[in-house]
Amino acid sequence: MSRRPTDESDFHSRPSKRGSRPRTKTRPEHEDAVTGLVTGVDRGRYTLLIDENLPDEHSIIAMKARELSRNRVVCGDRVDVVGDTSGEDGTLARIVRITDRTTVLRRTADDTDPYERIIVANADQLVIVTALAEPEPRTRMIDRCVVAAYDAGMDVLLCLTKGDLASPDALRALYEPIGVSVVTTYRDADGAITPLDEVRAALAGRTSVFVGHSGVGKSTLVNALVPGARRTVGVVNDVTGRGRQTSTSAVALRLPEYDGERGWVIDTPGVRSFGLAHVQVENLLTAFDDLAEVAEECPRGCTHLEGSPDCALDEWVAAAPDETVREARAARLDSFRRLLTARA
């Protein structure tokens, strides 16, 4: 039978089962770490580009260090890695730091979900790919993507595909007044995507993330822009009119040089929902500089929605010096409220 301790000294004389090594919160500095760009994520393994644009540029495979277990690493991240960074077959480096992100594009599962899902990091432009037909455009989803981009401080490009099936005029009229650039592509007689120069010009020198429903032609467009991308192309269901998701993970692809500049596109899996629980109204308002200045005169707690009592934005429209200015202000306010409604 084991002896029970009889005095305080017995408690302190036994060695710890975990060993005598003292615990510390000090983390290694990893001064020998090198920085890489995350171009792909696959089941806990990360593809990184090291020495980007230098003679020794190469790709490596890495995993997260234990101290980053609660931090999500996403496509577009710049990370510091240690270990074997040669990129040779069978080698595995270790991600020890995520560098400061310039932008973060997020979404939630729905508007009540408090859990934010980071889609990509460090992109400066959101490209919303939407078909003009087959499947029909869904303006509410476009609105939500615009809200998420403006919240992240990103520019927005609306790329309308299948322009040979329907006119882009209605969507142009809806989105160009709120600062969204719009381009349209078609299928020519041979089935090729055209024209691509306008799209390439909008992407040159930038890091752009592509989002869109399955079946809208997003992967087809990426394959046309990036030779050798080999993104899987889906088809539209004849019964539901919806596309089948084909891409299962985000991947960053480097664009060929255009007009002396190169850029990156980050292709993402098709989305069916875009929750905005993370977006604050104040952040959305900053995308409308003219309205943000007026809204400073609103009473505390003003929602800025239609019917809000004493909203300074309504007074701004009513105080226009003439009918032409009044119509322009009203259209601007309606556009903002449409996005605000999408958020609400």
Side-chain angles (χ1 to χ4, degrees):
M1 182 179 298
S2 60
R3 182 177 65 88
R4 297 181 62 185
T6 56
D7 56 43
E8 186 177 355
S9 63
D10 284 355
F11 287 102
H12 294 282
S13 62
R14 295 184 180 183
S16 167
K17 291 182 180 180
R18 297 180 181 271
S20 58
R21 189 174 180 179
R23 299 180 67 182
T24 176
K25 293 183 179 180
T26 304
R27 295 286 184 257
E29 294 293 333
H30 298 300
E31 295 179 354
D32 59 338
V34 298
T35 302
L37 169 67
V38 179
T39 60
V41 181
D42 183 19
R43 291 170 293 184
R45 293 293 185 266
Y46 303 86
T47 303
L48 312 180
L49 186 66
I50 304 296
D51 293 332
E52 182 182 352
N53 298 323
L54 297 177
D56 293 332
E57 176 183 293
H58 61 282
S59 293
I60 68 171
I61 303 298
M63 63 180 294
K64 285 193 299 184
R66 183 177 299 177
E67 58 261 36
L68 292 182
S69 60
R70 296 185 179 182
N71 300 88
R72 189 178 180 193
V73 176
V74 297
C75 239
D77 264 327
R78 301 273 176 180
V79 297
D80 291 340
V81 291
V82 298
D84 192 335
T85 59
S86 66
E88 296 178 0
D89 289 343
T91 60
L92 186 66
R94 187 160 48 97
I95 300 173
V96 294
R97 261 190 308 268
I98 304 171
T99 66
D100 291 342
R101 292 161 168 163
T102 56
T103 63
V104 177
L105 181 65
R106 301 177 172 92
R107 74 180 180 96
T108 55
D110 55 51
D111 290 343
T112 61
D113 184 5
Y115 179 70
E116 298 177 8
R117 292 160 174 81
I118 299 177
I119 302 174
V120 297
N122 301 320
D124 53 23
Q125 180 171 239
L126 176 63
V127 180
I128 306 169
V129 183
T130 301
L132 287 164
E134 298 180 6
E136 295 296 317
R138 294 168 59 183
T139 55
R140 289 185 64 184
M141 175 62 78
I142 299 173
D143 288 348
R144 287 173 166 269
C145 292
V146 172
V147 169
Y150 284 168
D151 179 69
M154 300 167 61
D155 294 330
V156 184
L157 174 68
L158 178 60
C159 183
L160 303 174
T161 63
K162 306 182 184 181
D164 48 306
L165 301 180
S167 170
D169 293 348
L171 289 179
R172 278 187 175 275
L174 200 57
Y175 290 99
E176 286 181 334
I178 58 173
V180 175
S181 300
V182 183
V183 296
T184 305
T185 64
Y186 310 81
R187 288 276 196 176
D188 64 16
D190 297 324
I193 304 296
T194 187
L196 286 179
D197 281 352
E198 190 177 5
V199 181
R200 290 191 177 107
L203 303 178
R206 312 196 69 169
T207 299
S208 305
V209 52
F210 280 43
V211 299
H213 291 296
S214 300
V216 298
K218 179 169 60 66
S219 294
T220 300
L221 180 62
V222 171
N223 288 338
L225 292 167
V226 186
R230 299 189 184 92
R231 297 299 279 172
T232 305
V233 177
V235 295
V236 177
N237 187 296
D238 291 334
V239 177
T240 65
R242 293 186 175 183
R244 177 173 57 86
Q245 180 169 310
T246 51
S247 303
T248 57
S249 61
V251 61
L253 303 164
R254 185 152 47 189
L255 290 161
E257 184 176 303
Y258 183 82
D259 199 21
E261 292 188 292
R262 304 190 73 172
W264 287 89
V265 297
I266 302 177
D267 188 22
T268 62
V271 295
R272 293 192 182 277
S273 64
F274 214 107
L276 299 173
H278 63 289
V279 176
Q280 302 298 316
V281 173
E282 294 76 13
N283 292 347
L284 178 57
L285 191 59
T286 58
F288 296 79
D289 295 340
D290 50 346
L291 301 185
E293 185 176 351
V294 176
E296 291 180 359
E297 303 300 323
C298 285
R300 183 183 297 274
C302 181
T303 64
H304 310 303
L305 291 168
E306 187 173 1
S308 299
D310 301 321
C311 180
L313 297 175
D314 290 311
E315 297 175 7
W316 174 67
V317 173
D322 56 57
E323 187 62 29
T324 301
V325 175
R326 185 176 297 107
E327 289 179 358
R329 289 184 177 183
R332 180 73 166 163
L333 179 55
D334 286 345
S335 297
F336 167 68
R337 283 178 169 165
R338 189 179 81 245
L339 298 187
L340 194 59
T341 299
R343 156 63 184 86

